[in-house]
Every structure is written in C-alpha cells, then in structure tokens.
C-alpha cells in the first residue's frame, strides 16, 4: 500500500499536468491579469465625502470600498483617519448645522471587466454633520443594489442619530471612523401561499376524518333540532297567518 | 338589500360538502379531484372567515339614491343624427369620440340607452349612418359593421369586415328604397344588405396601389361610385353596378391641384362632383354621367372673394340616400362668411350671401329642406335663422336666440331637428355643440330645453372643498376673528351680531310658517350658489372637477347639480393638471382659493389659474408668470398672513419660486429653508434626486438614487396624502404588548417594472424611499409579475396589485412597516433621526378580477378602520376591508392571533356582492376614485369618475356615531316618560304607605 500512494500521486500529477497544459493551450490568447481579477472578483471603488461650511460639495476620498461580486456580494472598507484639519472643519460644519455627504460611483457588481463595472455618475447621500460628530464618527453605510447587480443607492445613518448639542471634547473621538458597512440586494416579495394553505387544509380534513363524530352528516347530527324547528314553524304558521308587508326592521 | 341572512345558510353548505369520496378515479383524475376538493375547502374556509370576522355593510332598499347619485355621460360628440323617421320621435343618436353610441331623449336630455365599446382604436366609431329605425355603425377602423335598432338600442346584426383601413361608407338606395350599405376600404369596396348585414358583393378597386380611394357615393340610380385621387395628378372614379358589382364606368380627370377628396369635394345634384381649390380660387365640377374634363369656374368670375389664408369649404346635403343630392350647397369663403349656392342648368346661382354666419346646417323634414344659419348677434348671444334651401328666402318667425355662456366655449357644431307644424310650415329645434363639449338643446324662441356637460366624461383630477358657513355663522366667526378694540365696541359688536342672529331666526320661522301653508310638492329646496352652506356634519361639499378639455366644474356633492362652470380656452391638448387647495373656507372673511397648475407635457411650460372653488370665479390675485418649464410643485403647510398656503414651484434651472410671494412668505421661507426638502423624479433616466432649499431660494442636490433604465423603469411614485390622520400609533398584540407602526410622512413608494417582458424574467419592483434623506428603507421584487400596477400608500402600509405572469392571475400584495416593540422617538418623527430600519412584513393574495383603479378610504381622525376602494372594469366599486390585506394574518391560528382578531390566512380574496358600494349603479370605465373625509368620523365621501360620475358615502366601521334613520324616538321617549311617571306614582304610594304605617 505504501508504495501505491506515491504511484497514485504520480498518476494524479501527470493527469493534472496534462490538463494544465491543455488549459494553458486554451488560454493562449488571454491576459493573466484578467483571470486573476475574475477569480478573486474583488475590485475597489473610492468612497468620497464632503463637508464644507458653505455647503458647496467638494468631495475628497474617505476610503476605498472593496467590492466582491458574485451571488452574494460582499464589501469591505479601508479608510483613512480624519486629519487634524478635517476634524476641526467637521466640528465647524456641525456648529452651523451643515451636511456631511458621501458618494460612491455607480458600479455594476456582476460585470467581468473593470471597464464595464463603472458607469457614469455617482450615488450620493447625506447625514447632518452634527450627528456625525456627536456619534463619534460611528456610521452605518448601506449600499443598495438592484436585481441584476447595479448599485442604485447608498444610505448613511449615524448611531445615535440625534443632534443634542453635546460638545465632543476629545479630539481623539473624531479620528477613526467606526463604520458598519453592508450591501443590500432586493428581497423577493412573497407570492400567495397556496401550497402551504392547501397542505394545512389537507391536514385538517385528515384530523377530522379520524374523528368519527365529525364523519356524520349534518342531518344525521342535528336531525332532532331540525325536526323540532319544523314542528315549531308548522305550529306557529297554523296558529296565525304571517303579517304580510310588514317593514323589515334592521 | 341586507344580505346578513345569507350567513346562516353558509355553514350548512360547508357540512354537506365534506362527504368522503368512496370511489376511486384514475390517478390523474384523482389528482384533479383532489385539487378541486382542496379548492372547494379553500373557498369554504374563506367563507368561514368571512362569517366570523366581517362586518356587514350594504345599502337598504329604501336608501337607494338617498346618499348617492350617478351621472352618465357619452363624451365628445363625433356624429349626431335626429331620429326623423317618425314625426313624434324624441330621439337623438350620438356617436362619440369616447367610443360610445347612445340615444338621448330630445325633450329632457336624458339617456335612453347607451352602448360603451372598447377604448382605443379598436372601438373607434368611424361612421354612423341612419336609416329609418336602424343605425349602421362602422367600428374599429372598418373592422366591424353593426346595425342597431334605435328604439330600444338592441343589436340587429354585426358582421366582421375584411381587413383594410376604412375610408368611407354610405347608404345605397334604388327606386326610393334603401336596402344596402356600401363600405369603402383602402383596396376593396363591399356592399351589404341593411336587413341582415350579409355581403352582397365585394370588389377589388382597380389600381388601388396608386389611387387613394377616399369617398363612396350613390345617387339612387343603381350605381355606386368609388371616388379616388392620385394626389396632385388626377381623379379616378369607378362606377359599380348595384346588382352584381360589375364595373360600369371608369372616369379619370386631370386634377393636379387635388390631394384630399373628403376635405374639398362634395356631390351635388345629378352626380356632379364639385370641388373647391384654394390655390387657384376656383370651383371644379365633374359630371360623373357625362365623362368629360373638369370644368373650372373661377370664384372671381362669380364675384366672390375668399378671405386671405382661408381654405374654402363646401357643404351639401342628400336628404334621402335613394335620391340624388340637392342642387343647393353652401360655400364657406371665410371664418364667418357663407354663400348658399344653387346649381341650375350647369350655372351657379347665388341664392343668399350670408355674412356674418358662424355655422350652417341643412335639415330636411318631409319634402322640405331648410338651411339653418347661426349668426352672431352680440357678445353674449347669437341668432339662428331658417332659410328655404330652394329659394334662399328667410322663413318668417324662425328666429331663435342662443345665449352663450360667458364661461363656456364658442359654438362648434350645429345640429338641426326640423319638423312640420300643423299648418305645414317648418318648425325646428337646434342642438349646439360648443368647444367645451357642451350640448345645448334649444327651442324657439330661445328656451334652453336641456344642456349636457359632456366634458365631465373625462375628469382628470378633482378636489372636495368644504362649503362656507352661512352668513350668520360667518358673522359670529368674524367677531372672534377680528382684533379687540376696546370694551364698548366689543359689546356693541356682540349686540349687533346677536341682533342679526335674532333676525335670521325670525326669518327662518317665517319661512317655515309660510312653507307650511303651501302644498308639499311646491316647496322646493333647490341648491343654488346663494344658499350654499355647510351642513351640520359637513357631509355636503363642493366637488371641484377638472376635465381634460380644460373646463372646470363646481358640483354640489349632495345632489350632483352643477353650480358653476368655467372654461379655460387656452389649455393645450396634452396638458397635465394639478389642482391644489391653497386656502380652505375656514378663514373667513378671506375667500377660499384653489390653484390649478396647467402644464404642457411636451414643453413643460406651465400656467396657473387661481379661482374661488365655491363660486368658480377667477381670483383677483394675479398668479406669477412662469417663463421656465416647471419640474415640480409642492404645497407647504406654511401660510402667509392671509392664510393662503404657500405653493413652491421648481423650474428646470432648479430655482424655486413661491406663490404667493409676499414679504411675509419669503421671510418664513428663509427661516425654514434648511428644513424644506423636495424630490424630483426623472423616469426617462431612472433618476430620483433630493434637493434642499437654500435661503436665497436656490436649491442644492443632497441625494441621488439611480435605477438603471436598462433593467427597470419607474412606473409611479406615490407619497402619502398630506391630509391623512393616523389615530393609533401602534397595534395591540395578543399578549398585550404594542407593535408600533413606522409612520414616516416622507416615505415614497416607487414602483418599477422590468424592461424585459419575457414572462419568466419580468418583475415588478417596489422601493420604499425616504423622500428627505433618500434612504432606501425597503427594496423588494415581485418575480414573474407584470403591470399595470396599482398602488395605494397610506399610514404604515403599501398595497399594490399586479399581474402574475406565472399563474396568470391578478394578485394583491401588502407591505406593512413597523418600528418594533418600542418607539425610537415617540414625540416627533424626523427622517434625519431614525437610524433603525423598520421591520417589514409582506403577504400576497389572489384577487379574482382585474382592476381599474385603487384608493383607500379617508376619515377625519383616522379612528375608523380603513377600506380599499377598488374600481373594477365591470363597473363595480368594491369596498374591501383592509383587514383582509394584513401581512400579520397567521398561517396557523393561535390563541394570540385570535385575541388580536386576525383573520387566518387564506390565499384568495373573495369578492362579495354586498361589498359593492354602488349596488347596480355601474360606473363605466372608472378611471379614478377620490375620497374625502366628512365631519362625521364614521363617514367617508367617495367619488368615482370615468365615463360616469358616481358619488356616495361609505361607512367602513358602520355608522357608529349616527343614530339609524328608523331609530324609534317614540318608543324610547315613551319608555322614559312611563318610567318617570311610574317613579313619581310609586314614590307617592310609598309615602302614603309610610304615613299609614306611622299612624298605625
């Protein structure tokens, strides 16, 4: 047996070698980089932000979103710290109740090539700068994609979301972003649940079938009531003719 | 009409159907039987649910027409004929552009019968020919030929014609009897029997590739002529034998000036084709019996002059299709200039020069043909006169005065009903059609017998406005409204208002006394604009309706009578309308104010029409000029010092203008600018973008969502109604905890449809977006679904209806949003501060019918449970309790769900007949439903509009705040009195007894 294994390894490796050479033959015209890109299928797009005292947007890079395409797209974010200057500016903007905006370029997550991924235009969202400051830069960014994998929207909220006017004393709190990031694809809306309903009906009827009491027909069960009612009706009818034309009370 | 008795019977059928099956079927059939049995059970379960949970609501028989009314319309008239085969006939036949064929009673203007065909080109009425009791219609670009019996409106016969685009049709007679109808199409001509529609013959037209056949003519001599033209070359006329369709004659005549026969040619006299050409200013004549060249008669040689830039028009008449047309005809030389001419032995003789004349029309009764001519009299009236067609003499005592409504349009068409009086002179009535689609029927000397506002067949948008207070109520209101200026004057004011009240009361008493002496039938309570006032529960309102033709109406919601009308004559044909109430009637003495935004869909340019919704008068407030295309308009809850809400208009430069734009408003806007957000939707690019107002009234882009148009297109964006109230913040669950609703007033429901329409890949997308922050709250796709999608968005739910391509059925889906077990911020809702996404629940149901429109009921305080009002294509309006569309309906019934009164889930929504709020009052082609709250919390006012208008009230939770009509006041008061006296007597007796005991 011990000898057999190396033999097997040899066979497997030769087979593999043959296959590999075949692949190489097939791939003659391809660039190596492309293959790598699809296999890892991660690509990065810039996440930009803007906060200005006069509220005229000037977007600068905040970090890089690394998107992984596929059936379940995932995303990760690497972002820089806020510089001293930016921190001061953010606090200033918060003081005048300005906006903190972010934007990401429109991308197509399912495409194979880099050139097909990027589309014209950006998706923008905003949050009040004071909320950003008061939450110590802890924000939740959600990227929304549509059915076919296009990014259609981005949203940002801070937790907590309110502006209470509390001073942020410590500059260190405004240094590092504490970001929760996710990609949301549309959920499938449910259709009418006929199958389950029918199954339940079936079960119910089975349950009833086990109970012999339920097997009896309506007349078999309530014959005495019906008979009594009929006699009563006959008795009342013969006693007095019905008052015709009387107005029905509601 | 109350069907509550039905429920007693329902369980009975349930039990009887549950018998076990004792025989075996083949496997496949058994499968089917199983499915059928399961389906039956499903239905039964639904029935059970209904019995257990639903409330009963329907109209009692004696309530029919008490709270509701319906008005039926036909639309803009295309063809009209008076039924003339009987002297005493009272019928007008109308074929309209809305594909409706109807008969009116000419005495009252009421509909005798009406047939509503398919919408669109399929049901388009191409021609209407009338002969005796039969009316022959060509429908759907020559697809169908139909004959109707005009007395009762029954269908005599219908035949499907060969394909080919319809050109013309005429009745064909021979020897004074009319037995055939000829239909001319692009390349064939066919002859059909009038009695049964069977085709007598069909012939291909010669050279139909080059010759454009446009007209068909028969002069009653056994020949049928197809008139064709090769544009700018020659006329080609083909004569067929009536008997076998054999070509008898083929005429070709040079006519390089002619391009359209129907516009410029008529037949007069004995087969004389007469055309008029504006370029050469001449008449051309061609005798079809004597093949020859066209003879040119320059109009100048006859001494006529055509108004510059005017295309002359010929009008002729053929009173009987079995005879030749008359030799008299009209020639229109200018907008208000007509000539009555006669062809006499090849010579044209002027019988009458009619100037000014707006409209002319021929009419025939018996052997006499007359010409009715409408000429302007002064600014508000015009006169109609009759002239003898043979001599051109004016007939004595035939003047009729037509008073034009200053708020209406100009007369457009004149239809004349002539009849012979006892002394053999000609009498007549006219029906005038004006630009605003009004039909007015007038009798001599100018008595309006009826008017029909056919513009109401195409209502685009509407609002309901509260009626103003009565004079006395207003006086009291005014007292509180004014600023106090000293004790003495206040006392005086109070005294004076009390005096006025006293005066009004005495007047009221006097009126009661006066009316009491009169017999009942004479006392009329006509609603006029003068005595309009709000009723106790604000159930009577003013319906302001905007129609596609640009005519505005004010209709009393209680009776349906039109109180005012106003025609806007500068409305473009493709206009979009938005009606807004800027000031309600609550701000006495300021008049209520409505603003109508009229936008040209192509250019985007808009105008504003500001008016008083109670009286319809144009307001003296001058609306701002809008030089730029308008992208968006929004009403702010802000008010200026005169209590008018501020309307913001965003133009294509993203600049905002305010109306009214007083200093006060601008100041308020500056203060609040940072909290005014709005959104724009560009469905062609799939772009939704949010903007914020700046203090200088410019805007800044703050968010953007782009839905790629390659995948899906935005169909509709629905926000919530601003006047909606939600009474309860949450729902109490079975375990007594509270599930709080997510009540975001800024939430938008965006509906998209996939561009790929393949049934496997098509989908409908629903996005819930916050309109302020652009945050996508929820995104769902309904796979294998297609539009048309109808959406209602209210409170914390969105209901939409779509077509499921997989199961081939209509389905409803409901999305409800909840915050969870605790509220984030219970005092105020701010879109900027709601970091947690709501919980989303969704459920779908099968609906057994397609729907035309969808709306939700609305009440004053939102306490009453909601119903969905569904307009069905069948003409019914269904009131479906929202309770059935609740995503929390449990699959498995538990103690808790029972506690909460949740109906167990059943995949099918049933249509129950008592849910139809319009019982048998079918509303044809319902396009929209408008709901408005009344002063009673239980009551919601509903108006459904389409071809018809139907108004009613609905009580979604029954009339919990109203005593019933037949409430027994007598019984309750007699019981009370009896009890009272019984206590008195027994008290007395007890006293006596006590006294007696004390003495003992």
């Amino acid at each position: 047996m011990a000898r057999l294994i190396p033999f097997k390894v040899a066979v497997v490796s030769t087979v593999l070698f043959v296959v590999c050479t075949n692949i190489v033959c097939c791939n003659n015209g391809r660039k190596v980089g492309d293959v790598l890109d699809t296999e890892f299928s991660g690509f990065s797009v810039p996440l930009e932000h803007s906060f200005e005292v006069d509220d005229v947007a000037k977007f600068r890079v905040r970090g890089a979103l690394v998107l992984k395409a596929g059936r379940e797209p995932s995303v990760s974010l690497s972002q820089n710290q806020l510089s001293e200057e930016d921190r001061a500016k953010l606090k200033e903007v918060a003081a005048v109740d300005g906006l903190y905006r972010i934007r990401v370029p429109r991308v197509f997550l399912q495409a194979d090539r880099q050139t097909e991924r990027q589309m014209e235009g950006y998706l923008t969202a905003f949050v009040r700068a004071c909320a950003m400051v008061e939450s110590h830069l802890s924000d939740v960014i959600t990227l929304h994609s549509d059915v076919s994998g296009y990014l259609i929207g981005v949203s940002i909220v801070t937790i907590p979301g309110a502006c209470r006017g509390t001073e942020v004393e410590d500059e260190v709190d405004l240094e590092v972003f504490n970001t929760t990031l996710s990609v949301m694809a549309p959920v499938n809306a449910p259709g009418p649940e006929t199958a389950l309903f029918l199954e339940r009906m079936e079960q119910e009827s089975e349950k009833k079938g086990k109970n012999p009491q339920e097997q009896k027909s309506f007349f078999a069960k309530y014959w005495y009531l019906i008979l009594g009612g009929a006699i009563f009706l006959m008795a009342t009818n013969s006693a007095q003719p019905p008052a015709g034309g009387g107005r029905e009370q509601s | 009409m109350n069907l509550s008795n039905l429920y007693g019977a329902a369980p009975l059928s349930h039990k009887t159907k549950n018998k076990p099956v004792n025989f075996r079927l083949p496997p496949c059939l058994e499968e089917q039987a199983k499915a059928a049995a399961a389906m039956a059970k499903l239905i039964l379960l639904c029935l059970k649910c209904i019995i257990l949970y639903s409330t009963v609501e329907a109209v009692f028989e004696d309530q029919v027409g008490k709270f509701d009314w319906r008005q039926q319309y036909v639309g803009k008239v295309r063809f009209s004929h008076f039924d003339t085969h009987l002297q005493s006939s009272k019928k007008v036949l109308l074929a309209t552009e809305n594909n409706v064929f109807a008969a009116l009673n000419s005495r009252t203007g009421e509909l005798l019968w009406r047939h509503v065909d398919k919408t669109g080109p399929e049901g388009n009425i191409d021609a209407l020919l009338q002969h005796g009791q039969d009316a022959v219609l060509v429908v759907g670009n020559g697809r169908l030929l139909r004959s109707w019996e005009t007395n009762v409106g029954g269908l005599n016969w219908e035949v499907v014609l060969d394909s080919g685009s319809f050109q013309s049709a005429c009745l064909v007679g021979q020897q004074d009897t009319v037995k055939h109808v000829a239909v001319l199409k692009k390349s064939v001509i066919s002859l059909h029997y009038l009695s049964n529609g069977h085709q007598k013959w069909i012939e291909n037209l010669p050279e139909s590739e080059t010759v454009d056949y446009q007209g068909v003519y028969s002069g009653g001599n056994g020949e049928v002529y197809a008139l064709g033209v090769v544009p700018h070359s020659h006329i080609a006329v083909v004569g067929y034998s009536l008997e076998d369709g054999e070509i008898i004659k083929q005429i070709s005549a040079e006519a390089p000036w002619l391009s359209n026969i129907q516009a410029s040619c008529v037949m007069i006299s004995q087969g004389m084709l007469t055309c008029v050409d504006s370029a050469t200013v001449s008449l051309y004549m061609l005798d079809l019996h004597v093949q020859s060249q066209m003879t040119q008669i320059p109009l100048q040689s006859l001494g006529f002059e055509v108004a510059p830039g005017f295309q002359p028009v010929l009008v002729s008449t053929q009173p009987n299709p079995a005879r030749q047309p008359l030799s008299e005809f009209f020639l229109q030389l200018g907008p208000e200039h007509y000539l009555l001419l006669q062809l006499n032995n090849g010579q044209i003789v002027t019988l009458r020069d009619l100037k000014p004349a707006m409209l002319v029309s021929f009419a025939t009764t018996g052997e006499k043909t007359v010409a009715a001519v409408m000429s302007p009299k002064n600014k508000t009236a015009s006169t109609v006169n009759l002239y003898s067609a043979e001599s051109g003499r004016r007939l004595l005592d035939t003047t009729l005065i037509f008073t034009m409504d200053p708020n209406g349009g100009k007369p457009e068409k004149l239809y004349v009903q002539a009849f012979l009086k006892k002394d053999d002179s000609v009498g007549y009535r006219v029906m005038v059609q004006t630009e605003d689609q009004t039909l007015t029927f007038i009798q001599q000397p100018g008595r309006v017998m009826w008017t029909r506002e056919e513009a109401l067949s195409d209502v685009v948008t509407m609002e309901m406005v509260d009626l103003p207070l009565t004079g006395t109520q207003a006086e009291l209101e005014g007292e509180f409204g004014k600023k106090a200026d000293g004790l003495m004057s206040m006392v005086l004011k109070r005294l004076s208002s009390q005096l006025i009240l006293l005066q009004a009361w005495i007047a009221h008493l006097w009126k009661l006394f006066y009316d009491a002496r009169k017999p009942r039938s004479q006392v009329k309570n006509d609603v006029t604009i003068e005595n309009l006032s709000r009723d106790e529960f604000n159930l009577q309102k003013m319906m302001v309706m905007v129609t596609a033709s640009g005519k505005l109406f004010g209709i009393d919601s209680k009776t349906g009578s039109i109180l005012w009308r106003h025609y806007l004559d500068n409305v473009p044909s493709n206009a979009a309308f938005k009606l807004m109430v800027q000031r309600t009637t609550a701000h006495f003495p300021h008049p209520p104010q409505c603003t109508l935004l009229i936008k040209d869909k192509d250019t985007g340019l808009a105008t504003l029409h500001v008016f008083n919704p109670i009286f319809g008068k144009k307001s003296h407030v001058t609306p701002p000029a809008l030089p730029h295309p308008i992208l968006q308009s929004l009403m702010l809850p802000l008010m200026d010092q005169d209590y008018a809400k501020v309307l913001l208009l965003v133009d294509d430069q993203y600049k905002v203008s305010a109306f009214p734009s007083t200093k006060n408003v601008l100041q308020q806007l500056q203060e609040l600018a940072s909290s005014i957000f709005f959104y724009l939707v560009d469905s062609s690019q799939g772009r939704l973008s949010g903007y914020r107002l700046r203090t200088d009234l410019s805007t800044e882009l703050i968010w953007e969502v782009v839905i790629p148009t390659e995948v899906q297109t935005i169909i509709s964006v629905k926000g919530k109604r601003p006047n909606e109230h939600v009474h309860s913040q949450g729902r109490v669950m079975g375990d007594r905890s509270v599930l709080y609703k997510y009540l975001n007033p800024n939430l938008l429901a965006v509906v998209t449809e996939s561009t790929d329409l393949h049934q496997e890949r098509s989908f409908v997308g629903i996005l819930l977006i916050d309109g302020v922050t652009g945050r996508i709250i929820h995104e769902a796709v309904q796979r294998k679904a297609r539009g048309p999608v109808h959406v209602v968005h209210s409170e914390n739910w969105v209901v939409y209806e779509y077509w499921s391509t997989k199961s081939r059925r209509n389905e409803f889906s409901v999305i409800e949003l909840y915050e969870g077990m605790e509220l984030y911020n219970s005092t105020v809702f701010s879109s900027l501060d709601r970091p947690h996404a709501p919980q989303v629940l969704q459920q779908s149901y099968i609906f057994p019918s397609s729907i035309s429109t969808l709306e939700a009921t609305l009440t004053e305080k939102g306490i009453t449970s909601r119903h969905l009002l569904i307009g069905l294509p069948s003409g019914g309006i269904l009131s479906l309790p929202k309770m059935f569309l609740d995503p929390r309906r449990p699959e498995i019934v538990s103690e808790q769900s029972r506690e909460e009164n949740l109906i167990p889930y059943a995949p099918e929504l049933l249509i129950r007949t008592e849910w139809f709020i319009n019982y048998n009052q079918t509303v044809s082609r319902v396009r929209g439903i408008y709901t408005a709250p009344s002063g009673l919390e239980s009551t919601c006012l509903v108006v459904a509009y389409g071809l018809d208008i139907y108004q009613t009230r609905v009580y979604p939770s029954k009339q919990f705040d109203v005593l019933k009509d037949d409430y027994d006041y007598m019984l309750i008061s007699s019981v009370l009195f009896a009890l009272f006296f019984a206590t008195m007597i027994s008290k007395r007796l007890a006293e006596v007894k006590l006294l007696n005991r004390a003495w003992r």
Side-chain angles (χ1 to χ4, degrees), chain B residues 593-890:
Chain B
Q593 183 180 322
C594 271
T595 303
L596 179 68
L597 180 75
I598 306 155
K599 182 175 151 181
D600 190 311
K601 269 185 199 159
D602 294 336
T603 61
L605 288 172
T607 51
L608 290 177
H609 174 68
V610 186
F611 62 99
N612 180 333
I614 304 299
F615 303 109
K617 288 192 197 103
K618 196 172 175 182
S619 169
H620 58 269
V621 182
T622 42
L626 305 166
H628 296 292
I630 297 297
L631 296 179
Q632 173 77 293
S633 67
L634 61 160
M635 283 289 270
L636 297 182
L638 294 180
M639 288 189 195
D640 72 346
Q641 70 272 33
D642 292 341
Y643 305 101
K645 280 187 191 161
V646 178
L647 173 69
L648 288 189
L649 297 160
V650 186
D651 63 22
D652 65 342
Q653 315 282 315
Y654 302 102
K655 289 267 184 216
V656 173
S657 51
F659 170 69
S661 57
T662 55
K663 222 175 197 178
N664 175 303
V665 170
L666 294 178
Q667 198 183 338
Q668 284 190 61
L669 278 180
Q670 273 187 2
E671 279 166 24
L672 292 167
S674 64
S675 61
I676 296 173
F677 298 85
F678 60 90
Y679 68 92
L680 297 178
V681 182
D682 181 356
S683 58
S684 64
Q685 291 179 39
R687 186 182 300 272
L688 291 138
S689 39
Y691 292 81
R692 185 165 80 154
L693 194 67
R694 290 190 182 195
T695 47
D696 60 345
L697 293 189
S698 63
T699 57
E700 56 178 332
L701 179 74
I702 50 173
W703 59 265
E704 234 178 329
V705 167
V706 188
I707 299 163
T709 46
E710 303 93 74
V711 184
Q712 49 193 338
T713 46
I714 299 172
I715 302 296
S716 75
V717 177
K718 280 249 176 165
K720 290 180 190 173
R721 288 180 63 166
N723 57 345
E724 176 184 275
H725 292 272
V726 181
H727 182 256
S728 110
Q729 287 268 309
R731 284 176 65 163
V732 181
M733 315 269 284
D735 58 359
R736 300 280 174 248
S737 60
V738 177
L739 184 62
Y740 287 100
K741 295 174 184 169
Y742 179 76
L743 297 167
N744 183 349
N746 309 316
L747 197 66
L748 303 173
V750 180
V751 181
T752 62
E753 228 181 289
S754 61
T755 44
D756 188 351
L757 288 176
H758 185 269
Q759 60 165 2
E760 285 295 313
R761 293 186 296 271
S762 67
F763 64 87
V764 167
I766 298 283
L767 275 122
L768 301 179
I769 296 185
D770 187 301
V772 170
T773 61
R775 187 178 170 198
I776 298 175
I777 304 287
H778 182 64
E779 196 188 348
V781 241
Q782 199 82 48
R783 302 242 179 218
K784 290 173 190 165
R786 198 149 38 108
V789 184
H790 299 271
V791 198
V792 174
H793 184 190
S794 178
E795 282 187 37
N796 65 328
W797 47 264
V798 178
V799 170
Y800 60 93
E801 188 261 6
Y802 57 90
W803 171 257
S804 163
T805 51
K806 185 188 166 201
S807 316
R808 301 183 153 273
R809 63 192 178 199
N810 290 285
E811 290 177 1
F812 263 99
S813 194
V814 55
I815 299 177
E816 284 194 4
L817 303 170
Y818 291 97
E819 289 228 342
M821 289 308 178
E822 52 193 76
L823 270 181
Y824 178 77
N825 178 352
S826 57
T827 50
V828 68
F829 188 96
S830 166
S831 283
L832 297 169
D833 178 19
R834 282 280 144 150
H836 304 293
Q839 297 172 12
V840 182
L841 302 175
Q842 184 165 14
Q843 218 168 48
S844 298
Y845 313 88
I846 304 162
F847 192 68
S849 164
S850 68
I851 73 170
S852 303
T853 184
L854 192 63
E855 188 54 81
T857 59
L858 192 68
T859 52
E860 179 99 357
K861 298 268 181 283
I863 299 168
T864 309
S865 60
R866 308 293 294 271
H867 276 200
L868 291 174
L869 298 171
I870 304 166
L872 301 178
S874 62
I877 294 164
L878 190 76
S879 178
L880 179 73
K882 169 68 181 55
M883 206 198 243
F884 284 92
L885 290 163
D886 181 354
R888 302 192 58 253
R889 283 175 70 174

Side-chain angles (χ1 to χ4, degrees), chain B residues 229-406:
Chain B
V229 63
V230 179
H232 308 295
S233 169
H234 64 273
I235 287 182
V237 180
V238 188
Y240 290 92
S241 157
L242 178 63
E243 288 312 315
D244 49 6
E246 196 185 322
I247 293 178
I248 315 169
K249 216 177 268 179
Q250 255 184 305
I251 308 167
S252 175
E254 288 290 314
W257 41 270
L258 186 68
S259 62
N260 190 340
I261 289 188
Q262 284 190 325
S264 45
C265 298
V266 290
M267 296 299 301
I268 55 170
S269 195
Q270 267 178 316
M272 193 67 92
L273 179 69
T274 311
C275 301
V276 63
D277 175 38
S278 58
T280 53
V281 202
S282 321
L283 283 177
Y284 290 88
M285 299 187 121
L286 175 69
D287 195 335
L288 297 185
H289 301 294
V290 191
Q291 185 176 353
S292 63
Q293 289 290 315
M294 285 199 110
T295 46
Q296 183 184 5
I297 308 165
L299 288 177
Q300 215 134 25
S301 71
L302 298 167
F304 310 143
E305 212 165 296
V306 179
F310 186 80
Q311 168 87 38
V313 180
L314 289 166
V315 182
S316 72
T317 181
Q318 186 178 9
N320 187 344
R323 304 219 192 123
Q324 64 198 36
L326 293 189
S327 51
E328 288 82 21
F329 61 100
F330 277 112
L331 172 63
Q332 189 183 9
L333 293 174
E336 292 203 343
H337 186 196
Y338 284 89
L339 288 168
L340 180 60
L341 304 176
Q342 189 182 37
L343 184 73
N344 199 343
N345 295 329
Q347 293 295 312
I348 287 178
V349 184
T350 312
L351 293 178
R352 193 97 193 180
D353 189 349
L354 299 157
K355 192 178 182 181
M358 297 144 78
L359 296 169
V360 294
S361 176
F362 282 111
T364 306
T365 175
E367 294 296 309
K368 286 186 183 171
T369 300
V370 289
V373 178
M374 181 185 257
S375 45
K377 189 182 175 199
N378 53 35
K379 270 194 174 168
T380 58
S382 45
T383 54
V384 182
N385 281 299
L386 277 197
Y387 295 85
S388 159
E390 278 166 44
S391 61
R393 267 188 311 110
R394 197 168 82 84
L395 299 176
L396 288 177
D397 297 329
T398 55
T399 309
L400 183 149
I401 295 163
F402 171 62
T403 320
M404 283 185 284
D405 186 357

Side-chain angles (χ1 to χ4, degrees), chain A residues 6-47:
Chain A
F7 173 71
K8 271 185 182 167
V9 168
V11 170
V12 167
S13 54
T14 32
V15 169
L16 261 181
F17 176 75
V18 172
V19 170
C20 285
T21 42
N22 275 347
I23 287 170
V24 168
C25 287
C26 294
N27 276 346
N28 262 348
R30 253 195 188 177
K31 276 184 204 162
V32 185
D34 266 353
V35 180
L36 269 177
D37 207 46
T38 41
E39 270 170 13
F40 291 102
S41 69
F43 63 100
S44 85
V45 289
L47 170 69

Side-chain angles (χ1 to χ4, degrees), chain A residues 193-202, chain B residues 38 41-43 45-46 891 904-907:
Chain A
E193 284 283 352
T194 25
L196 245 165
F197 181 76
L198 289 177
E199 204 175 291
R200 209 180 73 222
M201 294 297 305
E202 210 96 305
Chain B
K41 278 173 204 161
L42 190 153
I43 291 162
L45 193 103
C46 292
E891 299 261 348
Y905 179 77

